[in-house]
Amino acid sequence: MKKQWIIIILLVIILLSMVACTTYNPLSNDLYTKNVYPSTTNTYDIGSAVLQYDKVYTGELYLNGVLFGGVSSQWVDDANGIEYTSGSVGINTPSVATSLVKIYSNSGTKSQPVLSVSDNTASAGANVIYAGTVGAKTDHTTTIQVDNYATSGSAGKNKYGVRITSGSVWNGAGSTNYGLYIDTPIGGINNVAAFIDGTTDLSDNELNNVSLLNYTDPTELTINAGAITVTQSFHTVDTESDAPIDDLVTINGGSIGDTLTL
């Protein structure tokens, strides 16, 4: 009889130990379930701050009535990161203070481009990068803006806002390769294909197929002791002290190769 009581007591101790371990173990056993229904208050708690399920095995999981996740995804891992395999990716933000897409590198030793875009498709025509602006704007519109605030690591190093290189052969038999091709816009009061506010250096190359060279409005220069000093390519000239006639002997301010119209 004593042995039976001892066995019963030992069994009770074992059961209490199991309950204690279950109560204080932060991760309980795996949960296998088919259907979990809410109570009459439309709430149902699974686990708690103390009790948590290590793994949950379920068929389909719905979040707010919408199927959540799945066994497959259009995003695929590869050796270089992730790629999207099902067409275009739509990105939208409702905040005017938020950049739609922001890509940057904060590594001081990164040698690869921060953004690299390439096209390897066989097609009649392809725009590798397309930028378009639509909608009514209250101010001026800049489709692409390039700011270069980088500091050069070594003295004398150049910085480029936009640089078009020809490091490799631009294939295309019987075609003309254009480093930069600009169509004249339409629809404005004045339509200008390119506006350059600064010096243009063609690096000893030709300027071809110019149908009209239109200088800026001329400024007037007055002969002083037989000389004038030019500041641009187009000037009008007045005699000294509005004399009926005058002699122009010396023109200062020019350089070899300059074109001057007086």
Side-chain angles (χ1 to χ4, degrees), residues 90-101:
I91 302 175
N92 182 32
T93 175
S95 174
V96 296
T98 303
S99 299
L100 195 60
V101 177

Side-chain angles (χ1 to χ4, degrees), residues 195-230:
F195 177 81
I196 302 174
D197 187 12
T199 302
T200 302
D201 187 352
L202 297 180
S203 187
D204 295 331
N205 289 289
E206 296 180 357
L207 183 64
N208 295 324
N209 298 326
V210 179
S211 62
L212 179 65
L213 191 61
N214 190 355
Y215 294 123
T216 187
D217 293 339
T219 59
E220 184 179 273
L221 300 177
T222 300
I223 298 175
N224 183 10
I228 60 173
T229 300
V230 298

Side-chain angles (χ1 to χ4, degrees), residues 131-202:
T133 303
V134 296
K137 311 299 182 186
T138 58
D139 202 342
H140 71 279
T141 299
T142 302
T143 303
I144 298 177
Q145 178 173 329
V146 179
D147 295 321
N148 191 339
Y149 300 113
T151 56
S152 299
S154 302
K157 296 297 182 179
N158 297 328
K159 294 191 295 183
Y160 305 93
V162 176
R163 183 180 182 183
I164 302 173
T165 63
S166 56
S168 58
V169 177
W170 291 15
N171 295 322
S175 64
T176 301
N177 296 324
Y178 298 95
L180 180 64
Y181 186 93
I182 303 175
D183 282 328
T184 300
I186 58 177
I189 299 175
N190 296 307
N191 298 298
V192 180
F195 177 81
I196 302 174
D197 187 12
T199 302
T200 302
D201 187 352
L202 297 180

